[in-house]
Amino acid sequence: MAATATPGTHVASMKPGAALRRSHAKPCVAFLGAERREASWAKLASSSHVSSRDSLSRKRAPEPVAFRNAVTRAMASVNESRPLPGLPVDLRGKRAFIAGVADDNGYGWAIAKSLAAAGAEILVGTWVPALNIFESSLRRGKFDESRVLPDGSLMEINKVYPLDAVFDSLEDVPEDIRTNKRYAGSSKWTVQEVAESVKQDFGSIDILVHSLANGPEVTKPLLETSRNGYLAAISASSYSFVSLLRHFVPIMNPGGASISLTYIASERIIPGYGGGMSSAKAALESDTQVLAFEAGRKHKVRVNTISAGPLRSRAAKAIGFIDMMIDYSLENAPLQKELSAEEVGNAAAFLVSPLASAITGTVLYVDNGLNAMGVGVDSPIFENLDIPKSK
C-alpha cells in the first residue's frame, strides 16, 4: 500500500457477476487422445464449464480443442482429492487472505494470481481509501487481462475486505480518521474486525500474506526523519505483520503458512530508501524469525518472508528512483534480466505449499541474485576487468 492504512468502509463482498466475468483470456488449447478422453473429460468439465460430451464421445484422431472465456474459481475443484502428476505446487482446498492488494501491478496481486493458479481460494484486504477504485476496476473488467492465469482462465477474487492494518481495533482509531470522508461508507476495517469478518464468512484460512508497506517520510535521509515519520514506517510496514498474524492465526488451520515481503535495504545501505523504511524492513525480518518460533510451536503455522528485488509498481514509483534501482540490478545481478512480479508470486506459492513444509523463519531472496553481490561491477573502477556479461 502506498499510503498508510486508515479506518472506515463497508465490507464489500466481491462475488464477481457478469461484469467481472467478461474474459479477455487467450484461448486455452488442449490435445485430447481417445485413450485419455474419459479422464480428460472430468477435468475439462469441472474447470472449463463444458456441458456437452458430444465432441469427446466420438472416436477420431487427436485434435486441438479451444476453450474461451473459461473462468477458474480460485478455490478447490471437485477433483481436489485426485493427485496431480509430477511434483506440483498444489493448493487446491486452501484459502488465502492477501493483505495489501489495491491494483493489478504489485507483488500482492502477483502472489494472489500464483496462489489461484495453484488452486487456492483468494480473499484480499484493500486499503480503505483505495477500495472503491479497486472494486470498480474489477467490476468494469479493467483487470481482466491481468487476471488471466497460465491455463487461459481468469483468477476470481472471492471477496474483498476493506483494511487499514495500522489500526488493531476500532478503539485505536483517532477521531480525524473516523470522520475522514475517504473512509465514509466503510466499516469493520481494522485488523481485528477483518479477522472476525473472515471467520464469520469462511470459518478459517490456510495462508496469510502481508504485502503492506508505507513510510510517509521515505524520501528523507534517516538523519532528517522525524520520530513520527520513523514510527509510522515501523507501524505500517512491520508491526502490521505482527498484528495480522496475531489476529488471524487463531483461525488458521494447522499446517498453514504466512509470508511477508521485505527488501535488501534491511541489511545493506540503499541511499534514497529512507524515512525509517530500512529499519522497518530489518524489524520485519527479525520478527519473522521470532514469529516462526511462536506460531510454529503454538499453532503449527510457518512464517517466512521474501526479499524481492525492485519492481515498477505503483507503490515503488512513489519512492522516486525505482527506475535507477532496476537499471542497477540489470547491470550488477548475476542474472541480468528484469525481475517480474510473477517470479515473486511463484516463489510465494512454493513457500506456502506443502513442498516447503519444513521451511520457516527464513528470508528467501527473489532478486536475480543481487543480494549475493559485494560490489557494483558496473563501477568504472572495474572497467579493465574481464567481467562476464549476458549475451
Side-chain angles (χ1 to χ4, degrees):
M1 292 184 184
T4 309
T6 349
T9 316
H10 172 63
V11 177
S13 174
M14 285 303 300
K15 296 182 181 297
L20 253 182
R21 296 178 184 273
R22 288 178 294 171
S23 172
H24 295 168
K26 298 177 181 178
C28 175
V29 178
F31 290 89
L32 306 175
E35 70 279 2
R36 297 185 62 191
R37 64 179 181 269
E38 290 299 325
S40 298
W41 169 253
K43 180 178 178 182
L44 291 171
S46 62
S47 64
S48 303
H49 308 296
V50 180
S51 58
S52 172
R53 299 186 58 172
D54 292 344
S55 61
L56 299 178
S57 60
R58 294 192 294 270
K59 294 183 178 180
R60 55 189 179 188
E63 62 181 66
V65 180
F67 297 93
R68 291 178 172 81
N69 299 326
V71 177
T72 290
R73 292 185 62 82
M75 56 196 304
S77 72
V78 294
N79 295 321
E80 65 181 26
S81 61
R82 180 181 302 171
L84 295 174
L87 193 65
V89 173
D90 187 359
L91 297 177
R92 292 175 296 176
K94 305 297 184 181
R95 181 178 296 116
F97 182 87
I98 299 99
V101 180
D103 55 37
D104 65 339
N105 69 352
Y107 283 136
W109 178 273
I111 291 172
K113 279 187 67 176
S114 292
L115 300 188
E121 178 181 2
I122 303 300
L123 314 174
V124 304
T126 300
W127 187 46
V128 182
L131 181 67
N132 288 337
I133 294 176
F134 181 66
E135 290 187 320
S136 175
S137 296
L138 280 173
R139 286 193 300 268
R140 292 162 48 200
K142 183 178 179 181
F143 298 149
D144 279 2
E145 185 175 351
S146 299
R147 290 170 58 210
V148 178
L149 298 175
D151 65 354
S153 61
L154 299 183
M155 173 180 70
E156 181 175 327
I157 297 175
N158 205 33
K159 189 162 185 177
V160 178
Y161 292 86
L163 171 67
D164 191 333
V166 167
F167 303 105
D168 298 331
S169 64
L170 193 58
E171 292 71 26
D172 300 326
V173 182
E175 185 62 26
D176 63 322
I177 296 296
R178 295 190 190 206
T179 58
N180 191 310
K181 64 180 181 180
R182 302 176 77 186
Y183 290 82
S186 293
S187 62
K188 298 182 179 179
W189 38 258
T190 64
V191 176
Q192 179 182 356
E193 291 173 310
V194 173
E196 291 172 350
S197 294
V198 171
K199 180 180 180 180
Q200 181 178 355
D201 294 339
F202 297 96
S204 64
I205 64 171
D206 304 277
I207 299 163
L208 176 66
V209 178
H210 175 276
S211 180
L212 302 167
N214 181 57
E217 299 181 17
V218 66
T219 58
K220 291 184 178 180
L222 188 57
L223 276 175
E224 299 175 15
T225 300
S226 69
R227 182 182 296 272
N228 287 338
Y230 185 94
L231 294 178
I234 294 288
S235 175
S237 310
S238 179
Y239 185 77
S240 58
F241 181 50
V242 178
S243 179
L244 277 168
L245 190 57
R246 172 189 172 191
H247 289 92
F248 273 89
V249 76
I251 66 169
M252 293 184 71
N253 294 317
S258 179
I259 56 174
S260 63
L261 291 168
T262 185
Y263 183 48
I264 193 66
S266 63
E267 54 187 282
R268 307 285 174 85
I269 300 169
I270 306 293
Y273 194 75
M277 282 302 300
S278 58
S279 307
K281 293 301 185 182
L284 182 64
E285 293 179 16
S286 177
D287 291 343
T288 294
Q289 296 178 320
V290 178
L291 292 172
F293 173 76
E294 295 180 358
R297 289 295 183 97
K298 296 179 181 179
H299 302 281
K300 295 183 172 59
V301 168
R302 298 182 294 110
V303 183
N304 294 292
T305 189
I306 293 176
S307 184
L311 177 75
R312 287 188 180 90
S313 65
R314 176 182 58 83
K317 290 177 181 176
I319 299 175
F321 65 100
I322 186 62
D323 291 335
M324 287 186 288
M325 292 308 301
I326 291 175
D327 291 341
Y328 179 85
S329 180
L330 284 170
E331 290 296 325
N332 294 287
L335 299 178
Q336 287 189 280
K337 63 180 182 62
E338 188 166 335
L339 182 70
S340 72
E342 180 183 10
E343 290 172 309
V344 173
N346 291 342
F350 161 73
L351 273 182
V352 301
S353 77
L355 296 181
S357 60
I359 301 175
T360 193
T362 193
V363 177
L364 177 65
Y365 296 95
V366 186
D367 61 357
N368 288 324
L370 187 62
N371 71 92
M373 300 302 296
V375 296
V377 295
D378 62 343
S379 171
I381 199 171
F382 297 118
E383 61 184 358
N384 293 324
L385 290 181
D386 184 17
I387 297 175
K389 292 281 187 178
S390 293
K391 296 181 180 179

